[in-house]
Amino acid sequence: MRLLFLGDVVGRSGRKAAIAAIPELRRRYDLDFVVINGENAAGGFGISESILTELLDAGADVVTLGNHAFDQKETLVYIERHDRLIRPVNFPKGTPGRGAGLFKARNDADVLVVNVLGRVFMADMDCPFNAVDAEIEACPLGQGADVILIDFHAETTSEKQAFGHYFDGRASVIVGTHTHAPTADERILPSGTAYMSDAGMCGDYESVLGMQVEEPINRFRTRIPRQRFEPSDGPATVSGLAVEIDDRTGLATRVKAVRLGGVLQSSEPEFWLS
């Protein structure tokens, strides 16, 4: 199975780049399943229903969220209509939407997608380890699901690494989001789980986390807000993680960071060319 995860979409620039890239990547590499984090897609904060529809129509199978999941208040209503939009599973009980879902891939595999928030330097949420434990116990790899992907939306690499090792061998892919900066630690963990601390963003990297640089600089220098943050609109890099998964075990066999276009251009996942 061939799976692609794309990191946080930031603003119009990142959105346009991702929407343009997904159909071509699906065709070129015969992708079976595509997941994209869309929590910053609407002006840098949250996601609208129309943008969600654009991402799904472009070829994303599932869109995950994060701490900005409900910055667009309309999401509280429309999320109930869209089972392919996944918000963090450890939001308080009664939060609209759902934190996990089982989806059918193009190769007919059943893919469990789980979205979860970290707790270090983030809002106080239920324990991400316990929350994901419950989802995997209800739908284990090789029994309830052929593939399990977890989007761990968290601030610190230490929490992400601990999380990766804790679930190693019980998930196919664990990929971090939220920091908007791609890490260089993509690998297969000892028990077979593909791991990357942060996939990076789909957005303009000539920025501060996808935002125009002036206001972040001002706030760091003066501590006084002058205006709202605005997404940077330069050429975007599409960042993510490509994984090949053994159809028998549901564990990873190959993994590679993907960075296309913009200023962080890297090699394409050449192992898919054969």
Side-chain angles (χ1 to χ4, degrees):
M1 176 177 179
R2 292 174 173 179
L3 181 149
L4 177 68
F5 180 90
L6 296 180
D8 313 39
V9 177
V10 182
R12 180 182 291 111
S13 177
R15 189 168 72 240
K16 289 173 61 178
I19 288 170
I22 291 171
E24 174 61 17
L25 290 170
R26 291 209 79 139
R27 182 196 63 77
R28 188 184 309 173
Y29 299 118
D30 194 23
L31 295 173
D32 296 301
F33 203 73
V34 176
V35 180
I36 186 167
N37 186 293
E39 74 138 9
N40 300 119
F45 300 95
I47 184 170
S48 67
E49 187 172 20
S50 62
I51 291 172
L52 169 65
T53 300
E54 288 180 336
L55 293 171
L56 295 174
D57 287 348
D61 293 290
V62 178
V63 177
T64 54
L65 297 171
N67 59 304
H68 292 291
F70 298 106
D71 282 12
Q72 303 293 323
K73 298 309 178 186
E74 64 175 289
T75 309
L76 289 163
V77 177
Y78 79 74
I79 195 171
E80 297 286 1
R81 299 196 295 268
H82 293 279
D83 60 0
R84 292 198 283 163
L85 179 62
I86 302 296
R87 50 86 171 154
V89 69
N90 54 339
F91 268 122
K93 186 177 180 179
T95 301
R98 58 181 182 157
L102 192 64
F103 304 93
K104 190 69 72 174
R106 290 192 177 181
N107 68 337
D108 210 37
D110 290 317
V111 183
L112 176 66
V113 179
V114 185
N115 187 199
V116 65
L117 281 172
R119 292 198 292 185
V120 180
F121 304 133
M122 301 279 277
D124 190 21
M125 293 289 177
D126 293 341
C127 175
F129 292 81
N130 292 343
V132 175
D133 255 335
E135 295 297 333
I136 291 180
E137 286 172 8
C139 190
L141 185 64
Q143 299 177 46
D146 300 306
V147 172
I148 297 177
L149 179 143
I150 303 168
D151 173 356
F152 189 28
H153 200 78
E155 188 75 47
T156 67
T157 51
S158 57
E159 188 180 18
K160 291 175 178 179
Q161 289 173 0
F163 187 91
H165 285 291
Y166 180 74
F167 287 104
D168 183 21
R170 292 192 284 159
S172 311
V173 183
I174 295 172
V175 58
T177 54
H178 178 65
T179 71
H180 294 196
T183 52
D185 63 341
E186 69 277 2
R187 64 194 187 278
I188 298 175
L189 296 176
S191 294
T193 296
Y195 173 85
M196 187 179 193
S197 291
D198 203 287
M201 67 177 177
C202 295
D204 178 12
Y205 280 85
E206 296 294 2
S207 65
V208 176
L209 304 185
M211 299 294 158
Q212 295 175 15
V213 302
E214 293 79 12
E215 182 59 14
I217 291 172
N218 165 65
R219 294 192 191 187
F220 281 120
R221 293 186 66 244
T222 70
R223 314 305 298 174
I224 300 172
R226 291 181 180 170
Q227 59 189 45
R228 58 173 290 159
F229 291 127
E230 295 290 344
S232 185
D233 58 3
T237 302
V238 173
S239 300
L241 184 70
V243 185
E244 284 191 338
I245 298 168
D246 189 309
D247 292 333
R248 295 181 305 104
T249 66
L251 297 172
T253 57
R254 294 178 179 179
V255 61
K256 187 176 180 64
V258 176
R259 296 195 297 274
L260 304 174
V263 298
L264 294 187
Q265 182 80 43
S266 68
S267 60
E268 295 186 48
E270 65 275 353
F271 57 76
W272 285 354
L273 295 178
S274 60

mmCIF file of all heavy atoms in Angstrom, residues 154-201:
data_model
loop_
_atom_site.group_PDB
_atom_site.id
_atom_site.type_symbol
_atom_site.label_atom_id
_atom_site.label_comp_id
_atom_site.label_asym_id
_atom_site.label_seq_id
_atom_site.Cartn_x
_atom_site.Cartn_y
_atom_site.Cartn_z
ATOM 1 N N ALA A 154 1.161 18.186 18.050
ATOM 2 C CA ALA A 154 1.801 18.489 19.328
ATOM 3 C C ALA A 154 2.965 19.439 19.141
ATOM 4 O O ALA A 154 3.522 19.577 18.042
ATOM 5 C CB ALA A 154 2.265 17.201 20.000
ATOM 6 N N GLU A 155 3.359 20.075 20.227
ATOM 7 C CA GLU A 155 4.380 21.125 20.199
ATOM 8 C C GLU A 155 5.809 20.590 20.287
ATOM 9 O O GLU A 155 6.693 21.021 19.567
ATOM 10 C CB GLU A 155 4.131 22.097 21.363
ATOM 11 C CG GLU A 155 5.008 23.340 21.333
ATOM 12 C CD GLU A 155 4.572 24.335 20.274
ATOM 13 O OE1 GLU A 155 3.372 24.625 20.184
ATOM 14 O OE2 GLU A 155 5.445 24.815 19.523
ATOM 15 N N THR A 156 6.062 19.651 21.199
ATOM 16 C CA THR A 156 7.450 19.271 21.483
ATOM 17 C C THR A 156 7.831 17.952 20.829
ATOM 18 O O THR A 156 7.034 17.011 20.763
ATOM 19 C CB THR A 156 7.697 19.149 23.000
ATOM 20 O OG1 THR A 156 6.946 18.048 23.517
ATOM 21 C CG2 THR A 156 7.302 20.436 23.726
ATOM 22 N N THR A 157 9.081 17.885 20.380
ATOM 23 C CA THR A 157 9.581 16.641 19.797
ATOM 24 C C THR A 157 9.690 15.545 20.847
ATOM 25 O O THR A 157 9.533 14.365 20.517
ATOM 26 C CB THR A 157 10.952 16.866 19.139
ATOM 27 O OG1 THR A 157 11.821 17.511 20.072
ATOM 28 C CG2 THR A 157 10.822 17.723 17.895
ATOM 29 N N SER A 158 9.944 15.908 22.101
ATOM 30 C CA SER A 158 10.054 14.875 23.140
ATOM 31 C C SER A 158 8.730 14.132 23.324
ATOM 32 O O SER A 158 8.707 12.901 23.418
ATOM 33 C CB SER A 158 10.509 15.493 24.467
ATOM 34 O OG SER A 158 9.618 16.512 24.885
ATOM 35 N N GLU A 159 7.631 14.881 23.377
ATOM 36 C CA GLU A 159 6.328 14.228 23.519
ATOM 37 C C GLU A 159 6.011 13.390 22.293
ATOM 38 O O GLU A 159 5.485 12.270 22.397
ATOM 39 C CB GLU A 159 5.237 15.270 23.756
ATOM 40 C CG GLU A 159 3.886 14.667 24.108
ATOM 41 C CD GLU A 159 2.795 15.703 24.334
ATOM 42 O OE1 GLU A 159 2.966 16.871 23.895
ATOM 43 O OE2 GLU A 159 1.772 15.350 24.938
ATOM 44 N N LYS A 160 6.352 13.899 21.114
ATOM 45 C CA LYS A 160 6.094 13.155 19.884
ATOM 46 C C LYS A 160 6.924 11.875 19.828
ATOM 47 O O LYS A 160 6.423 10.803 19.459
ATOM 48 C CB LYS A 160 6.388 14.040 18.666
ATOM 49 C CG LYS A 160 5.399 15.183 18.480
ATOM 50 C CD LYS A 160 5.829 16.091 17.338
ATOM 51 C CE LYS A 160 4.830 17.210 17.110
ATOM 52 N NZ LYS A 160 5.231 18.118 16.022
ATOM 53 N N GLN A 161 8.200 11.956 20.201
ATOM 54 C CA GLN A 161 9.045 10.764 20.160
ATOM 55 C C GLN A 161 8.590 9.717 21.165
ATOM 56 O O GLN A 161 8.565 8.512 20.871
ATOM 57 C CB GLN A 161 10.504 11.163 20.391
ATOM 58 C CG GLN A 161 11.102 11.910 19.212
ATOM 59 C CD GLN A 161 12.491 12.448 19.500
ATOM 60 O OE1 GLN A 161 13.036 12.279 20.595
ATOM 61 N NE2 GLN A 161 13.071 13.117 18.515
ATOM 62 N N ALA A 162 8.227 10.160 22.379
ATOM 63 C CA ALA A 162 7.726 9.226 23.370
ATOM 64 C C ALA A 162 6.455 8.533 22.870
ATOM 65 O O ALA A 162 6.282 7.317 23.021
ATOM 66 C CB ALA A 162 7.443 9.960 24.686
ATOM 67 N N PHE A 163 5.591 9.313 22.254
ATOM 68 C CA PHE A 163 4.349 8.787 21.695
ATOM 69 C C PHE A 163 4.655 7.756 20.599
ATOM 70 O O PHE A 163 4.048 6.682 20.554
ATOM 71 C CB PHE A 163 3.531 9.946 21.133
ATOM 72 C CG PHE A 163 2.157 9.593 20.667
ATOM 73 C CD1 PHE A 163 1.072 9.673 21.527
ATOM 74 C CD2 PHE A 163 1.924 9.213 19.354
ATOM 75 C CE1 PHE A 163 -0.210 9.365 21.091
ATOM 76 C CE2 PHE A 163 0.655 8.900 18.904
ATOM 77 C CZ PHE A 163 -0.425 8.975 19.781
ATOM 78 N N GLY A 164 5.606 8.082 19.722
ATOM 79 C CA GLY A 164 5.970 7.166 18.646
ATOM 80 C C GLY A 164 6.458 5.833 19.166
ATOM 81 O O GLY A 164 6.044 4.766 18.696
ATOM 82 N N HIS A 165 7.341 5.866 20.147
ATOM 83 C CA HIS A 165 7.877 4.616 20.684
ATOM 84 C C HIS A 165 6.818 3.831 21.452
ATOM 85 O O HIS A 165 6.815 2.594 21.431
ATOM 86 C CB HIS A 165 9.079 4.910 21.581
ATOM 87 C CG HIS A 165 10.312 5.258 20.810
ATOM 88 N ND1 HIS A 165 10.991 4.330 20.032
ATOM 89 C CD2 HIS A 165 10.983 6.432 20.673
ATOM 90 C CE1 HIS A 165 12.026 4.921 19.455
ATOM 91 N NE2 HIS A 165 12.050 6.186 19.830
ATOM 92 N N TYR A 166 5.908 4.536 22.105
ATOM 93 C CA TYR A 166 4.860 3.852 22.865
ATOM 94 C C TYR A 166 3.951 3.044 21.941
ATOM 95 O O TYR A 166 3.542 1.925 22.281
ATOM 96 C CB TYR A 166 4.040 4.876 23.657
ATOM 97 C CG TYR A 166 2.934 4.266 24.486
ATOM 98 C CD1 TYR A 166 3.212 3.571 25.652
ATOM 99 C CD2 TYR A 166 1.599 4.394 24.087
ATOM 100 C CE1 TYR A 166 2.191 3.003 26.413
ATOM 101 C CE2 TYR A 166 0.573 3.834 24.837
ATOM 102 C CZ TYR A 166 0.879 3.142 26.000
ATOM 103 O OH TYR A 166 -0.127 2.583 26.749
ATOM 104 N N PHE A 167 3.642 3.594 20.766
ATOM 105 C CA PHE A 167 2.731 2.922 19.840
ATOM 106 C C PHE A 167 3.465 2.177 18.723
ATOM 107 O O PHE A 167 2.809 1.648 17.810
ATOM 108 C CB PHE A 167 1.744 3.926 19.237
ATOM 109 C CG PHE A 167 0.703 4.387 20.213
ATOM 110 C CD1 PHE A 167 0.777 5.646 20.790
ATOM 111 C CD2 PHE A 167 -0.343 3.553 20.584
ATOM 112 C CE1 PHE A 167 -0.171 6.081 21.703
ATOM 113 C CE2 PHE A 167 -1.300 3.967 21.496
ATOM 114 C CZ PHE A 167 -1.215 5.227 22.072
ATOM 115 N N ASP A 168 4.784 2.095 18.778
ATOM 116 C CA ASP A 168 5.552 1.397 17.748
ATOM 117 C C ASP A 168 5.098 -0.062 17.637
ATOM 118 O O ASP A 168 5.016 -0.783 18.632
ATOM 119 C CB ASP A 168 7.045 1.442 18.100
ATOM 120 C CG ASP A 168 7.919 0.797 17.041
ATOM 121 O OD1 ASP A 168 7.460 0.673 15.878
ATOM 122 O OD2 ASP A 168 9.067 0.419 17.372
ATOM 123 N N GLY A 169 4.795 -0.464 16.428
ATOM 124 C CA GLY A 169 4.331 -1.819 16.178
ATOM 125 C C GLY A 169 2.827 -1.974 16.252
ATOM 126 O O GLY A 169 2.284 -2.979 15.786
ATOM 127 N N ARG A 170 2.135 -0.963 16.795
ATOM 128 C CA ARG A 170 0.668 -1.017 16.886
ATOM 129 C C ARG A 170 0.000 -0.078 15.900
ATOM 130 O O ARG A 170 -1.231 -0.078 15.769
ATOM 131 C CB ARG A 170 0.221 -0.692 18.311
ATOM 132 C CG ARG A 170 0.615 -1.754 19.327
ATOM 133 C CD ARG A 170 -0.095 -1.530 20.643
ATOM 134 N NE ARG A 170 0.504 -0.424 21.386
ATOM 135 C CZ ARG A 170 -0.134 0.252 22.338
ATOM 136 N NH1 ARG A 170 -1.402 -0.014 22.610
ATOM 137 N NH2 ARG A 170 0.486 1.215 22.989
ATOM 138 N N ALA A 171 0.791 0.749 15.234
ATOM 139 C CA ALA A 171 0.292 1.661 14.195
ATOM 140 C C ALA A 171 1.204 1.555 12.984
ATOM 141 O O ALA A 171 2.388 1.219 13.109
ATOM 142 C CB ALA A 171 0.242 3.093 14.707
ATOM 143 N N SER A 172 0.651 1.853 11.824
ATOM 144 C CA SER A 172 1.446 1.822 10.592
ATOM 145 C C SER A 172 2.278 3.081 10.442
ATOM 146 O O SER A 172 3.449 3.029 10.041
ATOM 147 C CB SER A 172 0.519 1.685 9.376
ATOM 148 O OG SER A 172 -0.418 0.641 9.556
ATOM 149 N N VAL A 173 1.658 4.245 10.755
ATOM 150 C CA VAL A 173 2.292 5.543 10.560
ATOM 151 C C VAL A 173 1.934 6.448 11.733
ATOM 152 O O VAL A 173 0.756 6.565 12.096
ATOM 153 C CB VAL A 173 1.820 6.238 9.255
ATOM 154 C CG1 VAL A 173 2.560 7.548 9.044
ATOM 155 C CG2 VAL A 173 1.988 5.314 8.057
ATOM 156 N N ILE A 174 2.954 7.085 12.321
ATOM 157 C CA ILE A 174 2.740 8.148 13.305
ATOM 158 C C ILE A 174 3.490 9.367 12.796
ATOM 159 O O ILE A 174 4.719 9.347 12.651
ATOM 160 C CB ILE A 174 3.242 7.747 14.705
ATOM 161 C CG1 ILE A 174 2.418 6.574 15.246
ATOM 162 C CG2 ILE A 174 3.166 8.945 15.656
ATOM 163 C CD1 ILE A 174 2.967 5.998 16.535
ATOM 164 N N VAL A 175 2.752 10.430 12.502
ATOM 165 C CA VAL A 175 3.376 11.632 11.945
ATOM 166 C C VAL A 175 2.937 12.839 12.754
ATOM 167 O O VAL A 175 1.755 12.994 13.074
ATOM 168 C CB VAL A 175 3.048 11.786 10.442
ATOM 169 C CG1 VAL A 175 1.554 11.850 10.188
ATOM 170 C CG2 VAL A 175 3.760 12.992 9.843
ATOM 171 N N GLY A 176 3.901 13.678 13.115
ATOM 172 C CA GLY A 176 3.613 14.871 13.887
ATOM 173 C C GLY A 176 3.226 16.043 13.002
ATOM 174 O O GLY A 176 3.685 16.169 11.857
ATOM 175 N N THR A 177 2.356 16.892 13.549
ATOM 176 C CA THR A 177 2.002 18.148 12.912
ATOM 177 C C THR A 177 2.036 19.250 13.961
ATOM 178 O O THR A 177 2.348 19.012 15.109
ATOM 179 C CB THR A 177 0.594 18.074 12.267
ATOM 180 O OG1 THR A 177 -0.355 17.647 13.258
ATOM 181 C CG2 THR A 177 0.559 17.092 11.113
ATOM 182 N N HIS A 178 1.788 20.482 13.546
ATOM 183 C CA HIS A 178 1.613 21.659 14.402
ATOM 184 C C HIS A 178 2.755 22.660 14.350
ATOM 185 O O HIS A 178 2.515 23.859 14.361
ATOM 186 C CB HIS A 178 1.355 21.272 15.862
ATOM 187 C CG HIS A 178 1.214 22.462 16.775
ATOM 188 N ND1 HIS A 178 0.174 23.357 16.669
ATOM 189 C CD2 HIS A 178 1.982 22.896 17.812
ATOM 190 C CE1 HIS A 178 0.301 24.302 17.602
ATOM 191 N NE2 HIS A 178 1.388 24.045 18.297
ATOM 192 N N THR A 179 4.019 22.224 14.301
ATOM 193 C CA THR A 179 5.107 23.207 14.379
ATOM 194 C C THR A 179 5.385 23.888 13.041
ATOM 195 O O THR A 179 6.085 24.902 13.005
ATOM 196 C CB THR A 179 6.410 22.569 14.882
ATOM 197 O OG1 THR A 179 6.956 21.695 13.883
ATOM 198 C CG2 THR A 179 6.189 21.811 16.172
ATOM 199 N N HIS A 180 4.860 23.322 11.935
ATOM 200 C CA HIS A 180 5.000 23.911 10.593
ATOM 201 C C HIS A 180 6.432 23.884 10.075
ATOM 202 O O HIS A 180 6.738 24.522 9.068
ATOM 203 C CB HIS A 180 4.466 25.356 10.552
ATOM 204 C CG HIS A 180 3.003 25.457 10.764
ATOM 205 N ND1 HIS A 180 2.278 26.594 10.453
ATOM 206 C CD2 HIS A 180 2.091 24.589 11.264
ATOM 207 C CE1 HIS A 180 1.003 26.415 10.752
ATOM 208 N NE2 HIS A 180 0.869 25.195 11.256
ATOM 209 N N ALA A 181 7.341 23.165 10.751
ATOM 210 C CA ALA A 181 8.731 23.049 10.308
ATOM 211 C C ALA A 181 9.065 21.567 10.145
ATOM 212 O O ALA A 181 9.019 20.812 11.126
ATOM 213 C CB ALA A 181 9.673 23.690 11.318
ATOM 214 N N PRO A 182 9.391 21.115 8.928
ATOM 215 C CA PRO A 182 9.636 19.683 8.723
ATOM 216 C C PRO A 182 10.909 19.223 9.422
ATOM 217 O O PRO A 182 11.947 19.885 9.357
ATOM 218 C CB PRO A 182 9.759 19.561 7.205
ATOM 219 C CG PRO A 182 10.193 20.918 6.742
ATOM 220 C CD PRO A 182 9.554 21.895 7.694
ATOM 221 N N THR A 183 10.827 18.099 10.100
ATOM 222 C CA THR A 183 11.999 17.523 10.749
ATOM 223 C C THR A 183 12.694 16.544 9.804
ATOM 224 O O THR A 183 12.106 16.086 8.829
ATOM 225 C CB THR A 183 11.598 16.800 12.041
ATOM 226 O OG1 THR A 183 10.536 15.877 11.748
ATOM 227 C CG2 THR A 183 11.114 17.794 13.091
ATOM 228 N N ALA A 184 13.939 16.224 10.129
ATOM 229 C CA ALA A 184 14.741 15.340 9.277
ATOM 230 C C ALA A 184 14.894 13.959 9.895
ATOM 231 O O ALA A 184 15.866 13.262 9.631
ATOM 232 C CB ALA A 184 16.117 15.963 9.036
ATOM 233 N N ASP A 185 13.916 13.543 10.719
ATOM 234 C CA ASP A 185 14.047 12.283 11.443
ATOM 235 C C ASP A 185 13.090 11.207 10.953
ATOM 236 O O ASP A 185 12.778 10.273 11.691
ATOM 237 C CB ASP A 185 13.848 12.512 12.947
ATOM 238 C CG ASP A 185 12.449 13.031 13.285
ATOM 239 O OD1 ASP A 185 11.753 13.545 12.381
ATOM 240 O OD2 ASP A 185 12.052 12.942 14.464
ATOM 241 N N GLU A 186 12.616 11.311 9.714
ATOM 242 C CA GLU A 186 11.715 10.282 9.203
ATOM 243 C C GLU A 186 12.448 8.943 9.168
ATOM 244 O O GLU A 186 13.595 8.852 8.740
ATOM 245 C CB GLU A 186 11.182 10.646 7.810
ATOM 246 C CG GLU A 186 12.175 10.617 6.682
ATOM 247 C CD GLU A 186 13.011 11.876 6.564
ATOM 248 O OE1 GLU A 186 12.860 12.792 7.389
ATOM 249 O OE2 GLU A 186 13.831 11.945 5.605
ATOM 250 N N ARG A 187 11.772 7.898 9.665
ATOM 251 C CA ARG A 187 12.402 6.583 9.754
ATOM 252 C C ARG A 187 11.334 5.547 10.091
ATOM 253 O O ARG A 187 10.199 5.893 10.384
ATOM 254 C CB ARG A 187 13.494 6.563 10.823
ATOM 255 C CG ARG A 187 12.998 6.800 12.241
ATOM 256 C CD ARG A 187 14.161 7.099 13.165
ATOM 257 N NE ARG A 187 13.797 7.180 14.575
ATOM 258 C CZ ARG A 187 13.281 8.246 15.163
ATOM 259 N NH1 ARG A 187 13.020 9.331 14.445
ATOM 260 N NH2 ARG A 187 13.010 8.231 16.460
ATOM 261 N N ILE A 188 11.746 4.289 10.075
ATOM 262 C CA ILE A 188 10.895 3.214 10.551
ATOM 263 C C ILE A 188 11.399 2.805 11.925
ATOM 264 O O ILE A 188 12.577 2.463 12.092
ATOM 265 C CB ILE A 188 10.898 2.021 9.582
ATOM 266 C CG1 ILE A 188 10.345 2.460 8.211
ATOM 267 C CG2 ILE A 188 10.063 0.868 10.140
ATOM 268 C CD1 ILE A 188 10.424 1.396 7.141
ATOM 269 N N LEU A 189 10.535 2.880 12.920
ATOM 270 C CA LEU A 189 10.910 2.541 14.290
ATOM 271 C C LEU A 189 11.161 1.031 14.414
ATOM 272 O O LEU A 189 10.778 0.258 13.534
ATOM 273 C CB LEU A 189 9.815 3.001 15.245
ATOM 274 C CG LEU A 189 9.581 4.522 15.296
ATOM 275 C CD1 LEU A 189 8.393 4.858 16.201
ATOM 276 C CD2 LEU A 189 10.825 5.266 15.758
ATOM 277 N N PRO A 190 11.797 0.584 15.505
ATOM 278 C CA PRO A 190 12.229 -0.818 15.604
ATOM 279 C C PRO A 190 11.144 -1.865 15.383
ATOM 280 O O PRO A 190 11.419 -2.936 14.838
ATOM 281 C CB PRO A 190 12.783 -0.900 17.037
ATOM 282 C CG PRO A 190 13.289 0.469 17.320
ATOM 283 C CD PRO A 190 12.311 1.394 16.630
ATOM 284 N N SER A 191 9.905 -1.568 15.762
ATOM 285 C CA SER A 191 8.835 -2.566 15.604
ATOM 286 C C SER A 191 7.999 -2.346 14.353
ATOM 287 O O SER A 191 6.955 -2.981 14.181
ATOM 288 C CB SER A 191 7.942 -2.575 16.846
ATOM 289 O OG SER A 191 8.660 -3.026 17.973
ATOM 290 N N GLY A 192 8.431 -1.418 13.464
ATOM 291 C CA GLY A 192 7.826 -1.336 12.141
ATOM 292 C C GLY A 192 6.911 -0.172 11.856
ATOM 293 O O GLY A 192 6.289 -0.110 10.789
ATOM 294 N N THR A 193 6.822 0.804 12.773
ATOM 295 C CA THR A 193 5.968 1.967 12.543
ATOM 296 C C THR A 193 6.749 3.086 11.860
ATOM 297 O O THR A 193 7.833 3.459 12.329
ATOM 298 C CB THR A 193 5.393 2.480 13.880
ATOM 299 O OG1 THR A 193 4.543 1.478 14.440
ATOM 300 C CG2 THR A 193 4.599 3.759 13.688
ATOM 301 N N ALA A 194 6.213 3.625 10.762
ATOM 302 C CA ALA A 194 6.810 4.797 10.121
ATOM 303 C C ALA A 194 6.596 6.003 11.018
ATOM 304 O O ALA A 194 5.499 6.213 11.538
ATOM 305 C CB ALA A 194 6.188 5.040 8.752
ATOM 306 N N TYR A 195 7.664 6.818 11.172
ATOM 307 C CA TYR A 195 7.599 7.923 12.136
ATOM 308 C C TYR A 195 8.290 9.157 11.562
ATOM 309 O O TYR A 195 9.330 9.070 10.902
ATOM 310 C CB TYR A 195 8.280 7.525 13.446
ATOM 311 C CG TYR A 195 8.392 8.680 14.427
ATOM 312 C CD1 TYR A 195 7.341 8.999 15.278
ATOM 313 C CD2 TYR A 195 9.538 9.479 14.460
ATOM 314 C CE1 TYR A 195 7.427 10.077 16.150
ATOM 315 C CE2 TYR A 195 9.640 10.556 15.323
ATOM 316 C CZ TYR A 195 8.585 10.858 16.167
ATOM 317 O OH TYR A 195 8.664 11.923 17.022
ATOM 318 N N MET A 196 7.723 10.329 11.880
ATOM 319 C CA MET A 196 8.343 11.620 11.588
ATOM 320 C C MET A 196 7.829 12.614 12.620
ATOM 321 O O MET A 196 6.628 12.713 12.853
ATOM 322 C CB MET A 196 7.994 12.098 10.180
ATOM 323 C CG MET A 196 8.727 13.347 9.722
ATOM 324 S SD MET A 196 8.249 13.799 8.026
ATOM 325 C CE MET A 196 9.520 15.004 7.626
ATOM 326 N N SER A 197 8.736 13.353 13.273
ATOM 327 C CA SER A 197 8.314 14.255 14.350
ATOM 328 C C SER A 197 7.405 15.364 13.849
ATOM 329 O O SER A 197 6.457 15.745 14.529
ATOM 330 C CB SER A 197 9.533 14.870 15.052
ATOM 331 O OG SER A 197 10.229 13.888 15.780
ATOM 332 N N ASP A 198 7.684 15.920 12.672
ATOM 333 C CA ASP A 198 6.773 16.905 12.095
ATOM 334 C C ASP A 198 6.875 16.902 10.588
ATOM 335 O O ASP A 198 7.975 16.993 10.033
ATOM 336 C CB ASP A 198 7.028 18.307 12.633
ATOM 337 C CG ASP A 198 5.785 19.186 12.482
ATOM 338 O OD1 ASP A 198 5.477 19.586 11.341
ATOM 339 O OD2 ASP A 198 5.128 19.458 13.489
ATOM 340 N N ALA A 199 5.721 16.799 9.936
ATOM 341 C CA ALA A 199 5.675 16.747 8.472
ATOM 342 C C ALA A 199 5.962 18.091 7.836
ATOM 343 O O ALA A 199 6.233 18.172 6.643
ATOM 344 C CB ALA A 199 4.301 16.259 8.017
ATOM 345 N N GLY A 200 5.910 19.183 8.630
ATOM 346 C CA GLY A 200 6.031 20.514 8.047
ATOM 347 C C GLY A 200 4.697 20.982 7.504
ATOM 348 O O GLY A 200 3.681 20.297 7.628
ATOM 349 N N MET A 201 4.699 22.145 6.885
ATOM 350 C CA MET A 201 3.436 22.715 6.396
ATOM 351 C C MET A 201 3.386 22.729 4.877
ATOM 352 O O MET A 201 4.405 22.628 4.194
ATOM 353 C CB MET A 201 3.269 24.147 6.912
ATOM 354 C CG MET A 201 4.270 25.130 6.355
ATOM 355 S SD MET A 201 3.952 26.830 6.931
ATOM 356 C CE MET A 201 5.360 27.680 6.172
#
